[in-house]
Amino acid sequence: MTMKTFCGRANPTTGALDWVEESEEYDYHQEIARSCYADMLHDKDRNEKYYQGIRAAVSRVKARGERVVVLDIGTGTGLLSMMAVTAGADYCYAIEVFKPMAQAATSITERNGFSDKIKIINKHSTEVTVGPDGDMQERANILVTELFDTELIGEGALPSYEHAHTHLVKAGCEAVPHRATVYSQLVESDMLWKWSQMQPIDVDGNKLLPSSAVVECTGAPSVCDIQLSQVSPQSFTPLGPICTMFSVDFSKPVSSAAQSYTAQFKAQTSGRAQVVLSWWDIDMDPDGNIVCTMAPSWTYSEPQTYPWRDHWMQSVYFLPAEKNVSEGEELSLIVSHDDYSLWYNLTNSEQNVVKEAQFRPSCSCQAHLVWTRPRFGELNDEQRTESYVSALRSILKPDSVCLSVSDGSLLPIFAHLLGSKKVFSLENSGMAKQVIEQVLHTNSLKHGVQLLGIRPEQLSLADLEGNQISVLMGEPYFSTSLLPWHSLFFWYCRTAVAQLLLPNAAILPRAATLYITAVEFQDLWRIRVPCGTCEGFDVSPMDEMIQRSLDFRESWEAEPHPLWEYPCRALTKPRPVMTFDFTQCVPEQPINSDGTVPFTGRGRCHGVVLWMEYQLTEDVTVSMGLTKPVSEEGACVWNPHRKQGVFFFRSMRETSGNGREDLSYNLTFEPHTGDIKMDFSVTEP
């Protein structure tokens, strides 16, 4: 019997706290369903290199005449342990802390006939005991791990290795991978720097300046991990060579203590040092003959041979402040790390380079905590600003009383600069309110916008100083939104303040339209496709576990993905399927839409992409999805600042593109829950 429990879940669309009856397993199923474990098993390059490295390590230990005992930390499916036994290991201890994964590993090793040689231990490696009554009978002489993330050490690899060398493996053990090396390149990039720093914004001839607090802030401490292969080399200028920053040898005791390393070089060209691009590789053997690299595709002489992976990407780090450098100048790039993260600094080589790890940066201005990096990019997008400013310009009058409903938005400041009589702005978080106050203060506009820290349903005429609202506006942007329709929260806010609006009040945006298109992904399909077998081992119990978790919700849900990082081809024309009229209140009745769209492209249909377009005024529309018309070949250009919704089909469908197949859709917007129930299928007319 499964226990039911009531969970309070904040509803991103309606803004209400919904009390939902969930079974105890809800979060656990969500974690598995969204885990993308399959992505790693589809990473053929990774699997082959690990297998080669394990075979080589086993033969080195056998050549010494020793019994081969393997410790596999973070075993996942048990794949690396099965490789080790197949390569001739005598025994494997496979550690997996996540219970459902440990259970899957047990059934996978049983199904493949390895249960007598592999022991699955469902613990954190630091809790594993060694000895006659321990989890392990003896210390291991081969250490196999896959504990890495995009930043290499972000999943706690260093403390785990440190503990393993002290307590779980023999001195002089073999390690697979044998070592990891971190590489970096200093670049100038307006595009990337706009993700970290607010730029001056031109509003009708007025320059809106960033607050000094933001300019002087070292930024967010967390890594920015992206598919760097999708960042065009045209959008950055290398100021130095690709530098080897540091290596970690995993076969020797590893320290998780904070450390700094320096790379010195001459600037290749003059420019503004702003951003560090970074990735790592792992040598599977001591001689460095078996290498698995995370380098982006544009470092390859043949980019088409680049092995795609999503579980390990590349990292972008922002320097604490931009620095002008001159061609030929001696520079020192410093990387520091603690036990979980990296950060970078740049100095002129004449300055003494501090060897100790400098203090990890943290945001002091609050803006980097309120605005995500894509949000910084969105606020700095000049074209987008122009759309909002021209839309506002067309509806504002000298006697306008404006109310803005968005999180941490500059829209109310635009409205003030465009000459509105009064501007009020609802800010749901104290931190966002503080960030906007700083911008107002820097630009001497302190009295231009009144920031109200209250919810829409609490707003009264007294809060508005007795004024009724003539312009209600929103971007709409809310920090809680994950999927495109979560921004319909704006509609619920508009409904909550309906009594305070003048009869002829302008609403901006006046409407939102949900669009769909069927797509073939270049690579993203891998995160959802079952594996079946991997390197000759049957891993289907993991496929079944993921499928059970996906089926846990009767509905098949869309997932948010930033599609500018994941190329795809449209196989149908974009189709508007539902329009939400913000000039009216949220309806009582559901909105339904069904129909078919003919496939115009030949290919493999992996799923459907959903996005919103906002109609700001009669003439101005902004898209949160496609930003250019789809090309003849179906190439798509996606908004780089918002995530789109992706509905994956359970199995891929071939389409001929000559009118033989349709995409059938059935969508229902439920006003009371704010959810969109969706069903898509490929049909033959």
Side-chain angles (χ1 to χ4, degrees):
M1 185 188 116
T2 57
M3 289 281 292
K4 291 278 187 182
T5 148
F6 274 101
C7 303
R9 298 198 184 277
N11 184 321
T13 312
T14 63
L17 186 69
D18 295 343
W19 288 95
V20 195
E21 196 180 28
E22 297 285 18
S23 95
E24 275 186 332
E25 280 120 38
Y26 175 78
D27 285 326
Y28 145 115
H29 281 297
Q30 283 291 84
E31 176 142 356
I32 295 169
R34 298 283 181 259
S35 63
C36 306
Y37 281 115
D39 169 37
M40 296 186 122
L41 297 182
H42 283 296
D43 186 347
K44 199 152 177 50
D45 178 66
R46 172 197 94 117
N47 300 336
E48 286 172 350
K49 304 272 172 69
Y50 260 102
Y51 211 166
Q52 289 169 17
I54 288 168
R55 279 197 285 260
V58 169
S59 54
R60 289 197 300 276
V61 174
K62 287 204 150 176
R64 300 202 291 258
E66 293 175 35
R67 184 167 174 272
V68 179
V69 180
V70 174
L71 171 63
D72 173 7
I73 301 179
T75 194
T77 54
L79 177 69
L80 303 183
S81 290
M82 294 190 293
M83 288 176 175
V85 173
T86 309
D90 295 286
Y91 203 76
C92 274
Y93 294 103
I95 300 173
E96 177 53 57
V97 71
F98 186 44
K99 193 173 179 191
M101 208 63 221
Q103 289 165 341
T106 304
S107 36
I108 288 169
T109 49
E110 275 171 14
R111 185 172 295 195
N112 289 277
F114 292 112
S115 29
D116 57 331
K117 291 273 184 99
I118 297 173
K119 179 183 181 183
I120 308 290
I121 303 168
N122 180 205
K123 281 186 174 179
H124 195 281
S125 65
T126 55
E127 292 167 358
V128 169
T129 55
V130 181
D133 306 322
D135 301 306
M136 296 170 63
Q137 292 289 296
E138 60 192 307
R139 286 184 177 232
N141 51 12
I142 294 183
L143 174 56
V144 177
T145 62
E146 205 285 60
L147 297 168
F148 313 115
D149 69 347
T150 292
E151 200 172 18
L152 185 68
I153 64 172
E155 285 181 10
L158 296 179
S160 299
Y161 272 114
E162 188 169 41
H163 176 270
H165 275 288
T166 313
H167 300 284
L168 306 177
V169 297
K170 292 178 175 168
C173 78
E174 298 286 344
V176 181
H178 180 80
R179 82 175 67 78
T181 306
V182 171
Y183 302 91
S184 298
Q185 186 166 35
L186 179 69
V187 304
E188 171 181 334
S189 172
D190 271 339
M191 180 196 119
L192 296 176
W193 189 242
K194 282 178 177 169
W195 294 358
S196 172
Q197 253 321 333
M198 187 180 148
Q199 307 294 317
I201 297 172
D202 184 45
V203 184
D204 241 22
N206 298 292
K207 268 267 186 274
L208 189 63
L209 299 172
S211 71
S212 52
V214 178
V215 175
E216 289 157 19
C217 181
T218 53
S222 57
V223 65
C224 174
D225 53 344
I226 61 168
Q227 290 283 0
L228 207 46
S229 299
Q230 296 309 314
V231 174
S232 151
Q234 276 75 56
S235 61
F236 60 86
T237 306
L239 300 177
I242 293 171
C243 300
T244 304
M245 297 307 298
F246 68 95
S247 289
V248 185
D249 183 336
F250 297 127
S251 68
K252 297 189 170 69
V254 169
S255 165
S256 64
Q259 269 166 310
S260 285
Y261 305 90
T262 303
Q264 294 182 317
F265 55 88
K266 280 193 168 84
Q268 293 175 349
T269 178
S270 299
R272 290 167 301 148
Q274 297 166 323
V275 176
V276 177
L277 309 181
S278 181
W279 56 88
W280 48 266
D281 65 23
I282 39 183
D283 289 329
M284 296 297 183
D285 63 322
D287 300 332
N289 295 326
I290 310 162
V291 184
C292 186
T293 177
M294 302 313 120
S297 61
W298 36 258
T299 63
Y300 281 63
S301 52
E302 296 172 32
Q304 68 279 8
T305 62
Y306 167 74
W308 185 86
R309 38 175 85 92
D310 204 42
H311 52 102
W312 294 328
M313 292 189 271
Q314 295 80 31
S315 303
V316 171
Y317 297 91
F318 302 94
L319 290 177
E322 57 181 340
K323 191 183 179 79
N324 286 320
V325 299
S326 312
E327 188 177 342
E329 186 179 348
E330 290 279 351
L331 298 172
S332 293
L333 185 62
I334 306 158
V335 63
S336 307
H337 73 76
D338 52 21
D339 47 355
Y340 280 91
S341 59
L342 307 177
W343 60 94
Y344 284 81
N345 282 288
L346 182 72
T347 64
N348 305 66
S349 288
E350 294 82 74
Q351 298 172 342
N352 276 335
V353 173
V354 186
K355 275 284 179 241
E356 297 82 64
Q358 284 148 325
F359 199 61
R360 184 178 173 207
S362 63
C363 171
S364 56
C365 71
Q366 318 281 6
H368 298 92
L369 307 176
V370 168
W371 293 330
T372 62
R373 291 182 174 107
R375 179 65 172 155
F376 265 100
E378 183 167 67
L379 294 172
N380 284 323
D381 181 339
E382 289 154 17
Q383 244 179 319
R384 174 183 172 279
T385 296
E386 184 43 47
S387 295
Y388 280 90
V389 169
S390 67
L392 281 170
R393 200 188 293 122
S394 71
I395 58 173
L396 292 175
K397 303 187 177 73
D399 61 350
S400 290
V401 175
C402 305
L403 176 67
S404 170
V405 186
S406 265
D407 290 355
S409 173
L410 302 174
L411 227 50
I413 305 182
F414 296 173
H416 170 70
L417 292 174
L418 291 166
S420 299
K421 179 175 134 190
K422 280 230 170 276
V423 184
F424 298 92
S425 179
L426 297 189
E427 278 298 352
N428 72 6
S429 101
M431 220 188 287
K433 191 163 168 255
Q434 195 181 320
V435 168
I436 300 301
E437 271 165 3
Q438 288 171 356
V439 178
L440 289 167
H441 182 75
T442 298
N443 292 279
S444 310
L445 302 171
K446 249 188 14 204
H447 305 295
V449 178
Q450 295 228 23
L451 300 171
L452 306 172
I454 47 182
R455 298 178 54 81
E457 64 274 15
Q458 299 167 324
L459 191 67
S460 69
L461 212 50
D463 297 312
L464 301 170
E465 299 166 4
N467 296 285
Q468 282 195 292
I469 300 158
S470 56
V471 176
L472 176 70
M473 58 191 182
E475 301 190 20
Y477 171 84
F478 302 102
S479 54
T480 48
S481 300
L482 289 170
L483 288 158
W485 44 95
H486 290 166
S487 61
L488 293 176
F489 179 48
F490 177 75
W491 203 11
Y492 288 83
C493 296
R494 177 256 180 271
T495 306
V497 301
Q499 300 306 312
L500 302 170
L501 298 173
L502 285 167
N504 59 347
I507 314 279
L508 179 150
R510 48 188 298 159
T513 301
L514 183 68
Y515 277 79
I516 61 169
T517 185
V519 298
E520 173 182 49
F521 282 109
Q522 193 175 300
D523 297 294
L524 190 66
W525 56 271
R526 296 170 203 270
I527 70 171
R528 279 284 156 266
V529 154
C531 287
T533 61
C534 181
E535 295 303 305
F537 302 103
D538 179 353
V539 293
S540 52
M542 193 205 64
D543 295 333
E544 290 153 22
M545 173 184 85
I546 291 173
Q547 197 54 58
R548 273 196 305 278
S549 289
L550 289 168
D551 290 342
F552 180 72
R553 293 305 245 201
E554 304 74 68
S555 66
W556 193 241
E557 297 174 348
E559 308 169 13
H561 289 284
L563 290 188
W564 72 270
E565 294 184 58
Y566 303 105
C568 62
R569 224 160 44 80
L571 300 175
T572 63
K573 296 259 189 294
R575 166 71 59 96
V577 289
M578 213 177 257
T579 293
F580 310 94
D581 181 358
F582 297 157
T583 65
Q584 307 297 314
C585 288
V586 175
E588 286 292 314
Q589 299 308 313
I591 303 174
N592 187 267
S593 169
D594 54 41
T596 58
V597 196
F599 277 93
T600 48
R602 182 194 179 93
R604 301 173 153 202
C605 182
H606 294 120
V608 178
V609 179
L610 305 98
W611 71 94
M612 284 289 196
E613 286 195 5
Y614 300 122
Q615 198 180 340
L616 301 186
T617 59
E618 276 295 350
D619 317 317
V620 185
T621 305
V622 290
S623 170
M624 301 297 131
L626 288 171
T627 55
K628 290 192 176 140
V630 173
S631 76
E632 277 299 304
E633 300 74 49
C636 300
V637 180
W638 298 101
N639 182 317
H641 308 131
R642 298 275 179 123
K643 290 182 176 178
Q644 292 74 38
V646 180
F647 178 100
F648 286 100
F649 283 127
R650 299 198 170 202
S651 57
M652 179 274 301
R653 292 288 303 267
E654 294 280 356
T655 62
S656 61
N658 52 14
R660 287 209 200 124
E661 307 88 7
D662 286 338
L663 172 70
S664 294
Y665 61 88
N666 188 337
L667 299 135
T668 306
F669 170 70
E670 293 283 357
H672 298 291
T673 62
D675 281 341
I676 295 182
K677 294 267 181 284
M678 58 187 73
D679 187 32
F680 295 100
S681 58
V682 178
T683 55
E684 291 181 17

